Amino acid sequence: PRPPAAAAGALSPFDRRLKRKQKNWAALQPEPAKCDYLREEVGGRMADRVFDITRTFPLALDVGSGRGYIAQHLTKETVEKLVQVDVAENALKNAVETEIPTVRVVADEEFLPFKEDTFDLVVSSLREVLHAETCISVLQIHQVLKPDGVFIGAMFGGDTLYELRCSLQLAELEREGGFSPHVSPFTAVADLGHLLSRAGFNTLTVDTDEIQVNYPGLFEVMEDLQGKCSMGESNCSWNRKPLLHRETMLAAAAIYREMYGNNDGSVPATFQIYYMIGWKYHESQAKPAQRGSATVSFGDLAKIEGLISRGKK
């Protein structure tokens, strides 16, 4: 059950009920796949990271699965059975069918309803940014993983939509004398390793990627992001501003085009993606060598060719 403080919004900067409404609304749109190209692209890159691990996973969990953006790229030779969890029942009802036997569960992704040491693999793609409840979720992911199980996640980075955010802030400062957030806040990469380490994961890997999408203008960016409510770009912070004045929007569109516009008249929107991999400890895993046991100094790296030839002799 959700802690009372979290239910009142004390621990989370997000309105969870609004987030569920946004995701359910997005899943009922006539052409949901029209706005899902980014999630599908990241889902494919997530699947590549699963394929890089040379083993078969008998039971996997997809946290915040949506319509199954990762599952559609996986094979039954890699994942034998999959459980998809999402807070929006409409997203699960419209999930893409795959060759993998799948069980779908409607539940709050922040509070997983599974027993300890259940899954061999947990994946999670493009969910919300780091906050108190996300830390709870990562702890629960670690708990439901079996020893030597692996967690692979993707999350929006701090530079996501910086063009849009900067344009809106400058326009509001000029026209209204202040600004408020209109896009959900994002995460700094330095926080990810610390979060995974505190949750108990080891052999950590964190890397970053950028995907840039071009639009005719700011209004098309905003319209597309509304269709991506299920991804988290649409703001649901408690301190969100309910509307933007027309003059402010026109000013923001002009600033966007002037500061970031392409030569062909389009404007770019940058999505920064952080990918993270962490393993749950098992005694069979490789362990780092003891401190001071090295036989070669880093200062000798300049002599690497001589060291290799000496080793061959």
Side-chain angles (χ1 to χ4, degrees):
R2 179 184 298 279
L11 295 179
S12 172
F14 298 113
D15 184 340
R16 296 290 299 168
R17 285 179 295 181
L18 177 60
K19 175 55 61 180
R20 181 176 183 177
K21 289 180 180 179
Q22 287 178 346
K23 295 180 74 173
N24 271 317
W25 174 85
L28 288 178
Q29 295 311 296
E31 298 179 86
K34 182 179 178 181
C35 296
D36 284 346
Y37 55 86
L38 186 60
R39 288 204 72 168
E40 291 178 354
E41 173 65 25
V42 176
R45 300 185 186 192
M46 287 278 291
D48 288 340
R49 285 163 169 79
V50 176
F51 294 141
D52 288 339
I53 303 172
T54 55
R55 66 167 66 175
T56 299
F57 300 99
L59 183 61
L61 171 66
D62 186 352
V63 180
S65 62
R67 297 176 55 247
Y69 307 100
I70 302 175
Q72 62 183 315
H73 298 284
L74 298 174
T75 64
K76 60 183 178 182
E77 288 76 24
T78 304
V79 174
E80 295 180 351
K81 187 174 182 180
L82 178 66
V83 178
Q84 294 178 328
V85 172
D86 201 281
V87 71
E89 59 271 19
N90 292 334
L92 294 177
K93 289 177 182 177
N94 295 323
V96 178
E97 295 296 330
T98 68
E99 63 181 32
I100 303 172
T102 303
V103 176
R104 299 183 177 96
V105 179
V106 178
D108 192 332
E109 308 101 318
E110 306 291 353
F111 300 91
L112 300 176
F114 304 108
K115 294 182 180 179
E116 188 175 354
D117 300 340
T118 300
F119 298 96
D120 305 279
L121 166 70
V122 177
V123 294
S124 181
S125 177
L126 298 186
R127 294 179 60 236
E128 292 147 5
V129 296
L130 293 185
H131 54 85
E133 289 182 359
T134 305
C135 297
I136 295 173
S137 179
V138 173
L139 286 169
Q140 292 190 18
I141 287 173
H142 182 270
Q143 185 176 17
V144 301
L145 270 174
K146 292 179 180 179
D148 200 33
V150 60
F151 166 57
I152 303 177
M155 186 174 288
F156 285 114
D159 288 339
T160 295
L161 298 174
Y162 70 88
E163 305 98 338
L164 174 64
R165 288 184 287 160
C166 183
S167 301
L168 289 173
Q169 288 176 6
L170 290 174
E172 278 193 290
L173 283 171
E174 179 193 0
R175 298 302 173 96
E176 303 179 31
F179 65 89
S180 62
H182 297 282
V183 180
S184 293
F186 297 110
T187 304
V189 68
D191 298 328
L192 293 180
H194 182 62
L195 171 70
L196 294 174
S197 179
R198 289 194 62 183
F201 290 99
N202 56 28
T203 319
L204 306 178
T205 303
V206 178
D207 63 286
T208 182
D209 195 5
E210 283 191 358
I211 300 175
Q212 192 173 87
V213 183
N214 292 323
Y215 295 89
L218 176 140
F219 294 101
E220 287 77 12
V221 176
M222 300 285 284
E223 181 182 4
D224 197 44
L225 294 180
Q226 285 185 342
K228 290 186 176 69
C229 286
S230 60
M231 285 174 40
E233 286 88 8
S234 187
N235 188 25
C236 62
S237 302
W238 291 102
N239 62 344
R240 63 189 178 273
K241 190 175 180 179
L243 57 87
L244 276 168
H245 297 293
R246 180 175 179 272
E247 288 149 354
T248 304
M249 289 291 292
L250 291 173
I255 293 171
Y256 202 140
R257 193 176 300 278
E258 180 65 26
M259 292 182 63
Y260 305 107
N262 299 316
N263 293 331
D264 61 358
S266 64
V267 295
T270 300
F271 298 90
Q272 185 181 43
I273 314 296
Y274 295 150
Y275 298 94
M276 48 193 157
I277 301 176
W279 295 79
K280 187 170 182 177
Y281 174 77
H282 188 266
E283 58 184 10
S284 65
Q285 293 173 348
K287 299 177 178 61
Q290 291 185 354
R291 187 178 182 87
S293 62
T295 58
V296 179
S297 170
F298 275 109
D300 295 331
L301 289 177
K303 311 170 186 176
I304 190 67
E305 292 183 1
L307 292 172
I308 293 174
S309 62
R310 188 174 65 187
K312 290 180 179 179
K313 291 180 182 179

